[in-house]
Amino acid sequence: MEILRAEKLARLAWLVHGFSTRRGGFSRAYGGGALNLGFTKQDSPKAVERNRAAFLKELKAVDKRGRPWPLVTLRQVHSATIHHITRAPKERPAGDGLITDQPGLLLAVQTADCLPVVVVDPEHRSVGVFHAGWRGTLARIVEKGVGEMRRRFKSDPRRMQAAIGPGIQKCCYEVSEELRDQFESQFAYAGELFDMVFESD
């Protein structure tokens, strides 16, 4: 199993974090032996549950008895909706961001092309995780998440740390001119995000 960790966040002894890859799982879908953590039509629920248990164990997100911490996930809808989590909910809330200052909870977002973003307040030991697709990014989900952490936990944005996990690169993802225009109207650095490609046909 391969877990990617942000170097700065790994220095925080109290924080458990990691970005999964497809390696080292039990799913037969997606090429066999895949670490699929999402419940999909292509994969069996038992394989996904087994993958999740193995991932949590590898993360060391377990209590003193070896039981995995509660895993809090979302029904992601490409929004800027953020939920403050104080305990594991019975049902997955709809949205694309989670924040907490409660120890022993593991917050997770699932991505394919989109970017997973982790924001940490080392001083107040609070954490936010965000599913940042293009819709959420345009809706400022990470900025709103930082604002929620400031409001709820008194987090100081100047002292917060962030990590962006793996996602699709601009070389491999085509967007419309309208979408590019939306980014250019909101972000001064938008020109760095897009390359124009002209095809002879």
Side-chain angles (χ1 to χ4, degrees):
M1 186 177 297
E2 181 181 26
I3 299 176
L4 308 176
R5 290 182 173 86
E7 189 176 317
K8 280 190 175 182
L9 299 187
R11 294 180 194 145
L12 302 172
W14 58 271
L15 179 70
V16 173
H17 87 285
F19 301 102
S20 67
T21 67
R22 286 283 193 190
R23 296 182 183 164
F26 303 98
S27 296
R28 293 185 180 175
Y30 313 107
L35 184 71
N36 174 41
L37 301 174
F39 292 100
T40 63
K41 293 177 184 176
Q42 295 82 11
D43 206 352
S44 76
K46 285 186 179 181
V48 174
E49 288 170 6
R50 193 173 173 196
N51 287 339
R52 285 185 173 194
F55 181 67
L56 294 179
K57 185 176 180 183
E58 189 70 22
L59 271 181
K60 297 182 176 52
V62 293
D63 65 18
K64 292 178 181 178
R65 295 181 182 178
R67 295 175 301 195
W69 291 354
L71 177 65
V72 181
T73 61
L74 291 157
R75 188 169 47 84
Q76 294 173 191
V77 293
H78 295 277
S79 68
T81 303
I82 297 162
H83 295 274
H84 175 211
I85 302 297
T86 56
R87 63 180 183 274
K90 292 181 181 178
E91 293 185 12
R92 290 183 306 155
D96 291 272
L98 298 166
I99 61 171
T100 194
D101 62 351
Q102 298 298 309
L105 286 177
L106 194 65
L107 308 181
V109 293
Q110 295 174 249
T111 61
D113 298 341
C114 301
L115 295 170
V117 180
V118 179
V119 177
V120 178
D121 173 1
E123 185 178 3
H124 295 97
R125 293 195 175 189
S126 58
V127 179
V129 297
F130 309 98
H131 168 239
W134 69 262
R135 288 180 184 89
T137 300
L138 281 173
R140 309 285 180 144
I141 187 167
V142 177
E143 291 95 324
K144 288 179 180 177
V146 168
E148 279 296 297
M149 292 174 72
R150 185 177 184 180
R151 183 172 74 88
R152 299 226 182 229
F153 314 132
K154 307 293 186 238
S155 298
D156 181 350
R158 294 170 296 183
R159 296 184 178 181
M160 297 170 86
Q161 298 178 20
I164 301 172
I168 200 163
Q169 296 179 7
K170 66 180 179 179
C171 64
C172 309
Y173 190 76
E174 185 177 335
V175 300
S176 68
E177 191 172 334
E178 291 79 16
L179 179 61
R180 188 192 71 212
D181 290 344
Q182 288 182 58
F183 271 80
E184 287 178 347
S185 71
Q186 289 199 46
F187 302 102
Y189 58 86
E192 301 170 29
L193 304 176
F194 301 95
D195 289 330
M196 295 292 288
V197 177
F198 296 96
E199 295 182 8
S200 60
D201 61 356

